[in-house]
């Protein structure tokens, strides 16, 4: 953007008949989606991003030719012919990309070396589980029978918020939901812990809790069935380029529509006059003005930081204050250890394995919340993640944010010592599980929950924000459907992102679509959206510049 146009955003007065101008805080998936849909609907937009990369938590880092992909493990909407895929096509997220689909969701190996593989195909899964534990036949067949039913359900409600749906659209949803209502109700009302505890085999009791790599706790059975069924249908694959590749593609789509992203632009406060948001002031004092402001960043920071807590309600206070500190409401933060190795793996090795650890082993992982470690062979997911002849592994575990925040704030030396402890543990662990691997390790780099907070600003370093099917889910649904993503007493302002529409990339993207639909209704504009026609093949060069996690290597 030219200096003249840049300056234009700092001016309040605009000629009559100018396009509605929208400022978006945050260039994560939700923020860029908001920009894309607003551009397609005839608005002029600008996205302000504190980091040097797009994507927010949907990002990657690099070192010595390795790409450390941080976010996507599976992406809902990778198969054509459904509403989730339509959103990604409109955003250009999958332009020119291949999709990797796996025949299994995850493998779980216990402390003794026994394993169970969660195949996405219900028939194959049933045969395998019966071999593992014939004594649990009735429960196994029940789970797989439900999985078969989910395979045949096409319900991806990401195109339009319910208040704006026509009677015909609502009827279409009912036709899908009503035949499966009892299935939805029963699997949503049954906690996975309760279900898993019914197995006689101790491996299955623990393994079912870890289908989603680690135990999210307080999760019902429904999301497990929904995601495994989506994966079986090829609709939960891994897009070429991974997390940052997805973000870069949406960034390219946004700028091709005429939008602008300003990086290294950290919002300090929302400018409000007479109960209306009129712009954003950055740290350092620079101001940008617009007709409407959308915050697509951390919810707590938005409400109590950028807006100083002046525009709340009992529902907002409960969601962004009380709920944040209630145990089990937020997805835990994670520690990530990225391992670059010389050579490849045995083709028969699972792409993702959760290893259940002994109590003694778990105690050696700093800040660990569970005795488990997830090992993913990320080079199997997409090309371009490692130099020629090399491979990359991503090891993760749920961890306590407060532990890492205190270390980094109060004792930086000890903070680095604990990161080295993670690296040493991972190196030794991998060498025991894959004999000889230790000698092939080129490097190990570690990202802590404090790293996530530093790069994204997410509360407590939580990547996925609220847990679905929690009390926060009900409040967030009302914020989207009843409050229309607005705050009480403040016009010209909306919220988008995972702190509004719950976690998951497709949900984040859909909030961008929703907020623009609400805005179009308010402004009397027609909402427009069309699929990208960019057919250029994706390649690793599209990553662009990637920063390192830290200036120095952990090990």
């Amino acid at each position: 953007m030219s200096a003249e146009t840049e300056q234009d955003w700092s001016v309040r007065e605009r000629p009559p008949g100018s396009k509605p101008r929208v400022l978006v805080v945050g260039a994560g998936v939700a923020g860029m989606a908001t920009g894309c849909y607003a551009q397609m609907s005839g608005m002029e937009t600008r996205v302000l991003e504190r980091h040097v990369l797009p994507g927010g938590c949907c990002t990657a880092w690099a070192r010595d030719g390795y790409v450390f992909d941080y976010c996507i493990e599976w992406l809902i909407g990778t198969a054509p012919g459904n509403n989730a895929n339509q959103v990604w096509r409109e955003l250009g997220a999958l332009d020119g990309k291949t999709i990797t689909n796996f025949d299994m969701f995850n493998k779980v190996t216990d402390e003794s070396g026994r394993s169970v593989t969660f195949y996405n195909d219900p028939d194959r899964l049933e045969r395998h589980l019966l071999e593992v534990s014939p004594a649990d036949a009735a429960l196994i067949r029940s789970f797989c029978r439900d999985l078969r039913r989910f395979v045949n359900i096409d319900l991806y409600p990401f195109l339009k918020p319910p208040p704006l749906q026509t009677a015909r659209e609502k009827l279409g949803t009912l036709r899908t939901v009503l035949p499966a209502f009892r299935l939805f109700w029963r699997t949503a009302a049954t906690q996975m812990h309760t279900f898993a505890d019914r197995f006689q085999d101790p491996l299955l009791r623990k393994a079912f809790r870890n289908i989603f790599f680690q135990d999210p706790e307080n999760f019902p059975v429904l999301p497990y069935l929904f995601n495994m069924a989506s994966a079986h249908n090829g609709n939960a694959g891994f897009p070429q380029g991974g997390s940052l590749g997805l973000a870069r593609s949406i960034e390219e789509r946004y700028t091709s529509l005429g939008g602008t992203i300003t990086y290294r632009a950290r919002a300090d406060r929302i400018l409000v006059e007479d109960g209306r948001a009129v712009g954003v002031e950055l740290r350092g004092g620079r101001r940008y003005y617009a007709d409407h402001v959308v915050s697509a960043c951390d919810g707590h920071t938005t409400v109590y930081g950028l807006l100083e807590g002046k525009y709340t309600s009992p529902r907002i206070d409960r969601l962004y204050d009380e709920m944040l500190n209630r145990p089990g409401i937020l997805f835990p933060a994670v520690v990530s250890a990225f391992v670059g190795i010389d050579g490849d793996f045995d083709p028969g090795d699972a792409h993702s394995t959760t290893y259940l650890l002994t109590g003694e082993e778990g105690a050696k992982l700093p800040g660990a919340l569970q005795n488990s470690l997830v090992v993913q062979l990320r080079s199997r997911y997409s090309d371009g993640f490692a130099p020629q002849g090399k491979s990359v592994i991503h090891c993760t575990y749920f961890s306590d944010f407060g532990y890492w925040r205190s270390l980094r704030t109060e004792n930086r030396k000890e903070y680095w010592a604990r990161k080295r402890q993670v690296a040493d543990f991972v190196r030794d662990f991998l060498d025991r599980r894959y004999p000889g691997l230790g000698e092939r390790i080129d490097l190990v780099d570690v990202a802590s929950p404090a790293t996530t907070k530093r790069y994204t600003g997410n509360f407590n370093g939580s990547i996925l924000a609220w847990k679905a099917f929690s009390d926060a889910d009900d409040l967030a649904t009302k914020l989207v459907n009843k409050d229309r993503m607005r705050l009480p007493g403040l016009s010209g302002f909306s919220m988008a992102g995972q702190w509004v529409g719950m976690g998951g990339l497709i949900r984040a993207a859909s909030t961008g679509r929703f907020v623009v639909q609400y805005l179009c209704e308010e402004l009397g504009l027609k909402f427009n959206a069309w699929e990208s026609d960019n057919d250029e093949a994706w390649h690793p060069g599209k990553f662009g510049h990637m920063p390192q996690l830290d200036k120095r290597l952990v090990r």
Side-chain angles (χ1 to χ4, degrees):
M1 179 172 283
S2 68
E4 181 180 351
T5 310
E6 169 90 15
Q7 181 65 30
D8 188 39
W9 282 83
S10 300
V11 177
R12 288 291 307 277
E13 300 300 326
R14 302 179 62 222
S18 298
K19 290 181 178 180
R21 185 169 272 183
V22 180
L23 274 172
V24 183
V25 180
V29 168
M32 291 190 294
T34 300
C36 285
Y37 288 116
Q39 289 289 144
M40 284 188 273
S41 299
M43 305 177 204
E44 185 180 356
T45 68
R46 188 185 195 95
V47 178
L48 305 173
E49 170 56 44
R50 61 186 283 174
H51 194 20
V52 298
L53 294 175
C57 290
C58 187
T59 193
W61 293 278
R63 189 183 291 274
D64 297 345
Y66 290 100
V67 175
F68 300 145
D69 188 75
Y70 186 63
C71 175
I72 298 176
E73 290 167 318
W74 74 92
L75 183 72
I76 294 294
T78 53
N82 61 83
N83 291 345
N85 183 260
Q86 180 179 329
V87 172
W88 294 130
R89 294 294 176 187
E90 291 169 350
L91 297 177
L94 305 178
D95 284 355
K97 296 179 179 178
T98 59
I99 303 295
T100 300
N101 289 296
F102 297 104
D103 61 1
M104 52 165 283
F105 210 90
N106 190 34
K107 181 179 180 180
V108 180
T109 301
D110 71 8
E111 306 89 328
S112 68
R114 290 184 69 213
S115 295
V116 59
T117 302
F118 288 95
Y119 296 105
N120 298 315
D121 182 301
D123 297 335
R124 186 177 183 186
L125 175 64
E126 183 174 306
R127 290 194 299 270
H128 172 65
L129 293 178
L130 289 173
E131 290 174 356
V132 172
S133 179
D136 288 304
L139 204 54
I140 290 169
R141 291 194 173 100
S142 171
F143 183 84
C144 294
R145 182 170 56 249
D146 286 344
L147 180 56
R148 290 186 189 95
R149 294 188 65 188
F150 269 90
V151 165
N152 296 317
I153 296 173
D154 181 11
L155 184 62
Y156 299 96
F158 304 118
L159 292 185
K160 187 182 290 188
L164 297 183
Q165 291 177 5
T166 65
R168 186 172 185 174
E169 288 168 336
K170 291 179 180 178
L171 181 60
T173 300
L174 281 175
R175 285 173 177 164
T176 301
V177 171
L178 286 179
F181 177 77
R182 293 186 63 184
L183 174 68
F184 289 151
W185 179 84
R186 175 170 51 80
T187 56
T190 304
Q191 291 288 306
M192 176 54 86
H193 276 209
T194 302
F195 180 80
D197 283 345
R198 294 165 59 192
F199 284 101
Q200 297 182 41
D201 190 294
L203 171 60
L204 295 188
R205 285 201 296 269
K206 291 182 285 188
F208 267 79
R209 289 169 157 86
N210 291 277
I211 294 174
F212 285 170
F213 312 118
Q214 287 201 282
D215 182 2
E217 301 179 345
N218 305 318
F219 242 40
V221 174
L222 188 152
Y224 295 89
L225 294 167
F226 172 83
N227 284 281
M228 291 179 72
S230 296
H232 178 60
N233 290 329
N235 202 38
F238 189 89
Q240 188 181 18
S243 307
L244 184 58
L246 188 90
R248 286 294 194 195
S249 292
I250 300 175
E251 176 194 43
E252 183 178 357
R253 170 67 163 162
Y254 173 57
T255 56
S256 74
L257 290 166
T260 298
I261 302 179
T262 301
Y263 291 106
R264 299 185 185 277
R266 184 165 184 166
D268 192 54
R269 67 188 181 106
I270 306 295
L271 301 173
V272 179
E273 295 180 3
D274 299 323
R276 183 175 186 84
V278 298
V280 176
E281 181 175 292
L282 304 183
R283 181 171 293 184
R286 186 173 184 83
R287 293 185 171 190
Y288 293 92
Y289 293 97
D291 302 299
H292 199 89
V293 177
V294 178
S295 178
C297 62
D298 180 74
H300 184 272
T301 298
T302 297
V303 175
Y304 302 106
L306 301 181
L307 289 167
E308 301 175 324
K310 295 179 179 179
Y311 305 96
T312 67
S313 65
R315 178 156 52 243
I316 296 297
D317 285 333
R318 189 173 177 220
L319 182 62
Y320 292 113
D321 187 11
E322 177 192 338
M323 288 290 172
L324 284 174
N325 298 299
R326 183 185 294 184
I329 295 294
L330 290 185
F331 274 98
V334 300
V335 170
S336 291
F338 302 98
V339 185
I341 68 167
D342 185 27
D344 202 350
F345 301 93
D346 187 313
D349 291 333
H351 74 282
S352 177
T353 303
T354 297
Y355 290 97
L356 305 179
L357 308 176
T358 65
E360 182 180 357
E361 287 177 316
K364 295 178 181 178
L365 282 174
L369 297 177
Q370 299 176 8
N371 292 328
S372 59
L373 181 72
V374 182
V375 177
Q376 296 183 332
L377 311 184
R378 296 298 276 191
S379 302
R380 295 275 174 82
Y381 290 63
S382 176
D383 61 314
F385 285 169
Q388 187 69 29
K390 309 277 186 176
S391 302
V392 64
I393 306 173
H394 187 198
C395 301
T396 59
Y397 65 90
F398 284 155
S399 188
D400 176 45
F401 171 76
Y403 171 88
W404 292 98
R405 176 188 56 190
S406 296
L407 281 177
R408 194 174 191 279
T409 302
E410 301 169 8
N411 190 335
R412 193 65 64 86
K413 183 178 180 180
E414 186 64 18
Y415 174 75
W416 276 94
R418 296 286 75 78
K419 290 182 81 171
R420 287 193 296 273
Q421 184 177 335
V422 173
D424 289 340
F425 180 94
V426 166
R427 176 186 291 270
D428 293 342
F429 183 86
L430 292 177
D431 193 46
R432 282 185 279 119
R433 292 303 184 278
Y434 304 90
L437 182 66
E439 299 176 357
R440 297 195 284 133
I441 292 178
D442 288 340
L443 56 85
V444 182
D445 218 349
V446 177
S448 78
T451 309
T452 304
K453 175 70 173 178
R454 181 159 55 95
Y455 276 100
T456 69
N458 267 18
F459 189 86
N460 280 5
S462 177
I463 298 173
L464 283 172
W466 312 112
K467 286 183 180 178
F469 303 95
S470 67
D471 290 341
D473 194 340
D474 295 334
L475 291 172
T477 298
K478 291 178 180 177
L479 178 58
V480 173
N481 295 340
K482 187 173 182 179
D483 299 337
R484 297 192 168 210
M485 307 167 82
R486 306 290 179 88
L487 295 178
L490 181 62
S491 61
F493 179 82
S494 304
M495 294 178 67
Q498 61 182 4
W499 294 99
V500 177
M502 307 301 291
L505 289 173
I506 185 58
R507 286 180 177 271
S510 70
T511 64
R513 206 177 197 275
F514 291 177
V515 80
V516 174
Q517 288 172 314
Y518 281 134
L519 184 54
C520 284
E521 183 192 48
E522 176 186 314
L523 298 176
L525 297 175
K526 181 182 178 182
F527 174 79
N528 287 312
W530 60 87
E531 294 188 7
S532 169
D533 60 2
N534 180 8
D535 58 2
E536 180 188 359
W538 193 92
H539 55 85
K542 287 182 173 286
F543 279 131
H545 172 71
M546 287 180 286
Q548 296 179 346
L549 270 172
D550 290 287
K551 291 183 179 179
R552 57 174 172 166
L553 188 63
V554 173
R555 182 183 177 92

